[in-house]
Amino acid sequence: MTSLTSRAGLYLCSAFLALTLLSSSAMAADLRVGLRADPDILDPAQGTSVAGRVVFAALCDKLIDITVDGKYQPQLATAWSWSADNLTLTLKLREHVLFQDGQPFDAAAVKVNLDRYRTDPLSKRKTELKPVASVEVVDPLTVNIKLNQAYAPLVSVLSDRAGMMLSPAALSKEGAKIGDHPVCAGPFQFVERVSQDHILLKRFDQYWNKDAILVDSVNYRMIPDDSVRLLSLRSGDIDLIERLSPSDIPTVKSDANLKVIDGPSTAFDLISINTNHGDDANNPLGKSAKVRQAFELSLDRNAINQVAYEGFFVPGNQPEPVGTQFYDAAHPVPERDVAKAKALLAEAGTPNPSFTLAVANSPILAQVSQMIQSMAAEAGFDVKIQTLESSTLAANSDAGKYQASMAIWSGRPDPDGNISPWIASDGFLNWGHYGNKDLDKILMQARQTTNDAERKKLYAAAINLYVADMPFIVLYHYKSLWAARSNIDGFVPYPDGLIRLQGVKKSVAG
């Protein structure tokens, strides 16, 4: 009897173990994500691409994160507070956090990273951290960030690349080449990268929030063509794709194996214009504000939105979306006015200006650029289209090797992060080297006050200047659109468009 009981118990234990393993394997799997573009360098100090931020969300935890409604929440910092004079931000850090090389995360590591971001000649974060005078280690889990002037956007800055923490040991070893093998404190660690093909990450088993990570690996695959990306999803080669084309929503909804996931977005599309960076700025569009104003008036944003984006996006002419806190209602989206555009060109003495518009190699952007080309031609413009791979486009633009360049900005929770990078004299995305001292002064004042009413007045003054100079043209604001296989659960879209993998699971069925 004892033998039979023991044997039955053994069978029950075996069955339970098998069920447990089956359940575990259903949750722990390899997630394949289709990206539209190949990221630039995987170093938060040097990176500038949207695709890079998507990958960083899995690789590198930040000091501060945002919530689904755009507010701030703890990540590697558990709390933060301002001093009475707003010149010191104190961060309390999370305990028992390890970098992916096994080194401990602490206040000294925060200092190493922030000092690198604000002083390294290669860093694109220097402008964002310019008001930081020093970073002081108070104790192993407390950091004081001292400012030389009040700086309201600092919390927002620390919720992006400047808040991403890399291992000081890896930084010391790799230096400027850290982007070839980044070592962070995030949920997934770097395995390999094949340019223009894929980036493979595997789960970091010592991640501080490891219970929230339910897949073994994530493989980002670069598929610029929207149609090919969707086909890969439908065939099962891909589990999740970003930037679903609005025109493909009916196709996804009609497929029982797929689902559409949508949410809010802070992203917007714009055209950056080279006004003062090298020889490529020497053309009528680069040298004349009237020509730039005429170009904008030749465009019908509503028509572009209806044709290319099924009316899903929101036409806009300023970095803040219509109806939001810092949107300036005194500057509504202008209606298309070809006659006025022609008059402005005549006043500028260039009735038939010519320039090249660089765009990323995406079918939908090809359609948008062709519509822009056709519309502008009716006002007298000769727009030539240059199609480039996205990382080449970004590199050329940063080097001033462009006349006009179409770009996407994923948006930031603080308004300064949506305008200053593009048109402040020291903005890291001010590719065209536009400069206006009066505008710089206003933007600085807006950073130095935490009073939202005062900031709103200052941003209203700023738009008076940059709409007149027009170093960039905002086209429309996004809605976040994703598509996934039906067996993918737990994915939550955030307004910054990043893929947070905490809570995402992939079941075997589907």
Side-chain angles (χ1 to χ4, degrees), residues 272-288 292 397-404 425 430-436 470-471:
S272 170
I273 299 170
N274 188 348
T275 62
N276 196 39
H277 192 177
D279 293 338
D280 283 316
N282 293 321
N283 64 84
L285 186 74
K287 292 305 177 187
S288 172
R292 296 192 289 274
S397 299
D398 188 50
K401 297 177 181 178
Y402 80 108
Q403 295 180 336
S425 293
N430 185 356
W431 298 323
H433 289 190
Y434 165 75
N436 183 318
M470 204 156 290

Side-chain angles (χ1 to χ4, degrees), residues 61-83:
D61 274 8
K62 301 166 291 188
L63 292 169
I64 298 167
D65 200 9
I66 66 166
T67 64
V68 292
D69 56 357
K71 296 182 172 59
Y72 302 110
Q73 66 177 346
Q75 196 163 54
L76 292 177
T78 58
W80 53 92
S81 59
W82 287 104
S83 61

Side-chain angles (χ1 to χ4, degrees), residues 192-422:
E192 67 176 10
R193 177 178 191 173
V194 177
S195 181
Q196 306 299 326
D197 187 76
H198 73 272
I199 294 172
L200 178 63
L201 315 178
K202 69 176 180 179
R203 181 171 56 189
F204 177 47
D205 290 333
Q206 294 176 289
Y207 179 52
W208 66 268
N209 191 22
K210 64 180 180 181
D211 290 345
I213 304 303
L214 307 175
V215 295
D216 289 325
S217 66
V218 55
N219 193 335
Y220 298 96
R221 298 184 184 175
M222 294 40 175
I223 311 174
D225 190 297
D226 294 347
S227 299
V228 175
R229 202 160 62 253
L230 180 56
L231 284 172
S232 297
L233 182 73
R234 298 187 73 183
S235 70
D237 288 338
I238 295 291
D239 300 307
L240 173 71
I241 62 172
E242 64 158 354
R243 292 193 249 178
L244 175 68
S245 173
S247 62
D248 289 329
I249 291 176
T251 299
V252 174
K253 288 186 172 180
S254 68
D255 190 329
N257 294 315
L258 306 180
K259 55 186 172 182
V260 174
I261 304 170
D262 64 72
S265 176
T266 55
F268 57 92
D269 269 3
L270 70 149
I271 298 174
S272 170
I273 299 170
N274 188 348
T275 62
N276 196 39
H277 192 177
D279 293 338
D280 283 316
N282 293 321
N283 64 84
L285 186 74
K287 292 305 177 187
S288 172
K290 285 186 176 180
V291 174
R292 296 192 289 274
Q293 292 167 13
F295 178 48
E296 184 196 32
L297 287 171
S298 75
L299 304 179
D300 187 335
R301 291 175 173 87
N302 287 313
I304 295 172
N305 182 40
Q306 291 298 326
V307 173
Y309 296 108
E310 304 290 317
F312 199 85
F313 292 169
V314 181
N317 67 322
Q318 47 188 290
E320 298 301 310
V322 175
T324 55
Q325 183 178 10
F326 294 100
Y327 173 79
D328 183 26
H331 290 86
V333 178
E335 297 290 334
R336 188 185 191 217
D337 192 333
V338 174
K340 187 174 180 180
K342 288 182 175 179
L344 284 170
L345 291 180
E347 290 176 23
T350 54
N352 299 109
S354 176
F355 69 92
T356 297
L357 174 64
V359 299
N361 59 340
S362 149
I364 198 165
L365 291 180
Q367 183 181 26
V368 171
S369 63
Q370 288 162 11
M371 290 186 70
I372 289 172
Q373 182 185 51
S374 177
M375 290 173 177
E378 294 180 26
F381 286 92
D382 173 23
V383 181
K384 298 176 175 62
I385 299 172
Q386 181 185 33
T387 302
L388 298 169
E389 190 277 323
S390 58
S391 59
T392 302
L393 175 67
N396 285 359
S397 299
D398 188 50
K401 297 177 181 178
Y402 80 108
Q403 295 180 336
S405 181
M406 190 177 296
I408 177 176
W409 184 235
S410 51
R412 300 294 183 269
D414 188 277
D416 183 72
N418 292 327
I419 178 172
S420 291
W422 293 100

Side-chain angles (χ1 to χ4, degrees), residues 63-133:
L63 292 169
I64 298 167
D65 200 9
I66 66 166
T67 64
V68 292
D69 56 357
K71 296 182 172 59
Y72 302 110
Q73 66 177 346
Q75 196 163 54
L76 292 177
T78 58
W80 53 92
S81 59
W82 287 104
S83 61
D85 61 4
N86 285 333
L87 291 177
T88 301
L89 181 67
T90 298
L91 302 176
K92 293 293 185 179
L93 306 180
R94 190 174 299 280
E95 294 184 88
H96 311 305
V97 175
L98 294 178
F99 288 106
Q100 291 148 0
D101 57 2
Q103 296 296 309
F105 164 78
D106 56 14
V110 173
K111 176 175 172 58
V112 168
N113 277 274
L114 293 182
D115 283 348
R116 174 178 182 249
Y117 288 141
R118 68 190 187 89
T119 63
D120 193 310
L122 294 174
S123 176
K124 302 291 187 181
R125 313 279 79 85
K126 286 188 291 185
T127 299
E128 302 164 20
L129 294 171
K130 190 174 182 180
V132 175

